[in-house]
Amino acid sequence: MNLKASLTCTLVPQMNQGPFVFRNHDLKTACQLTKKHGFQGIELFFTNPSDINIQEVKKLLNSEGLLCSALGSGAGWVVHRLSLTSENRDIRKNAVNYIRELVGIAAELQTSVIIGSMQGNSSSAVDRSTALKYLAEGLAELAQIPETAQYPILYEPLNRYETNLINTLGAGVELLQTLPPQRVKLLADLFHLNIEEKNISQSIQAAYPWIGHIHFADSNRQAVTEGHLDIPPIAEVLLQNKFTGFLAAEIFPDTDPELSAAKTMKALKLYFPSAFGS
Ligand SMILES: [Mn+2]
């Protein structure tokens, strides 16, 4: 299997200002437009696991021949204020259960769940070492879910303005090394890496065995080529390692999301001609 690419679609009203190509579309239209622009998959963000009609989602994906590249868990924090590092034990437990439910659904859709903002922050109520302990405990519990053997959790280091816990791939590797191998992988988001890493391609190379997913965005979180990221060395590292995961465009859309889709596909063809055609 080769590299794959996807577009992002939020179905969470409270996240409709976020970095998602489709923010005000029904799932059917989003799938049709994703297919139209040549992508292999779509990344989906729902408000509640119980909102997800698995058969209906499968039907929509199948009718366009699309894969689900991942399920996001952002609404767990944005809508439900669930955090794996809350000072409140019940909230931590509910956060794990929320993700656990998503993992079961994701497995039926043959994909993984992303943990980004649900990792939370340290604070005056939870100091850094306690927060990191809670995060490792939460991830360790999730890593016990049998489905994660096939569909590992995707843990995403975020930039310093979004979390004060883990900001780099290197720090992410340290965290993952304490967990059962391969049950949790890293999501490398180029937008976050651009803020935090000394050298993006070298950091990807160093963390490569742990990387399971890429968020494909430019420095300003717009479509790649709209910012100032130096993509060739990043593309080279992924191609040399024969990365077969998804490059998912988690980006702020243009007024017309089709324009963002087209720009992203153009960038993929430019930088990954062997995978996406030139
Ligand atoms: Mn991301």
Side-chain angles (χ1 to χ4, degrees):
M1 193 60 195
N2 213 330
L3 261 174
K4 302 180 284 290
S6 64
L7 297 176
T8 46
C9 172
T10 183
L11 299 158
V12 184
Q14 295 91 330
M15 289 164 69
N16 71 3
Q17 300 300 310
F20 309 100
V21 174
F22 300 107
R23 309 191 293 191
N24 294 296
H25 290 72
D26 61 85
L27 185 54
K28 182 176 181 181
T29 307
C31 286
Q32 287 171 340
L33 294 176
T34 298
K35 182 65 178 183
K36 174 184 167 186
H37 286 275
F39 290 83
Q40 291 77 38
I42 188 164
E43 198 147 305
L44 300 175
F45 298 75
F46 292 93
T47 304
N48 300 295
S50 56
D51 293 343
I52 307 174
N53 181 332
I54 299 171
Q55 294 316 318
E56 178 68 13
V57 174
K58 274 188 185 171
K59 203 177 91 185
L60 290 173
L61 293 170
N62 288 340
S63 70
E64 301 297 336
L66 289 174
L67 303 169
C68 181
S69 62
L71 286 189
S73 64
W77 168 248
V78 174
V79 180
H80 305 292
R81 290 293 178 227
L82 297 175
S83 162
L84 293 172
T85 53
S86 169
E87 71 269 29
N88 181 307
R89 188 195 182 102
D90 288 335
I91 293 177
R92 295 199 302 277
K93 196 173 149 204
N94 289 339
V96 167
N97 287 336
Y98 179 91
I99 298 165
R100 185 195 307 280
E101 199 176 345
L102 277 181
V103 168
I105 293 164
E108 293 205 49
L109 298 172
Q110 299 181 292
T111 196
S112 292
V113 172
I114 297 167
I115 298 177
S117 57
M118 283 190 77
Q119 69 192 276
N121 276 282
S122 65
S123 64
S124 54
V126 185
D127 65 31
R128 180 176 172 77
S129 65
T130 306
L132 287 171
K133 181 172 82 85
Y134 288 160
L135 178 58
E137 286 172 359
L139 290 174
E141 203 177 331
L142 292 165
Q144 302 298 321
I145 306 172
E147 285 88 340
T148 61
Q150 194 174 359
Y151 305 108
I153 304 271
L154 297 170
Y155 170 75
E156 181 173 16
L158 305 174
N159 74 70
R160 66 190 67 188
Y161 307 106
E162 298 185 37
T163 184
N164 55 18
L165 295 177
I166 304 276
N167 302 124
T168 61
L169 295 178
V173 168
E174 280 184 41
L175 175 70
L176 266 51
Q177 280 174 328
T178 67
L179 301 171
Q182 302 298 316
R183 294 296 190 108
V184 184
K185 299 202 88 170
L186 289 175
L187 193 171
D189 181 323
L190 302 186
F191 165 75
H192 297 303
L193 301 191
N194 176 61
I195 295 170
E196 298 294 345
E197 302 289 352
K198 183 175 175 188
N199 181 305
I200 296 175
S201 56
Q202 285 176 14
S203 71
I204 291 174
Q205 181 59 54
Y208 189 79
W210 286 272
I211 292 178
H213 198 74
I214 304 285
H215 275 162
F216 191 64
D218 215 317
S219 52
N220 50 8
R221 219 168 201 183
Q222 294 181 32
V224 166
T225 65
E226 293 293 292
H228 56 70
L229 271 187
D230 184 23
I231 299 293
I234 299 169
E236 188 181 347
V237 121
L238 295 173
L239 289 169
Q240 280 185 348
N241 284 289
K242 300 186 165 50
F243 183 67
T244 57
F246 268 98
L247 302 172
E250 189 185 60
I251 55 173
F252 288 104
D254 295 88
T255 318
D256 180 358
E258 283 203 69
L259 188 54
S260 307
K263 284 176 182 170
T264 297
M265 185 46 70
K266 192 175 172 193
L268 290 165
K269 288 176 188 287
L270 174 64
Y271 295 117
F272 303 91
S274 58
F276 299 102
S278 51

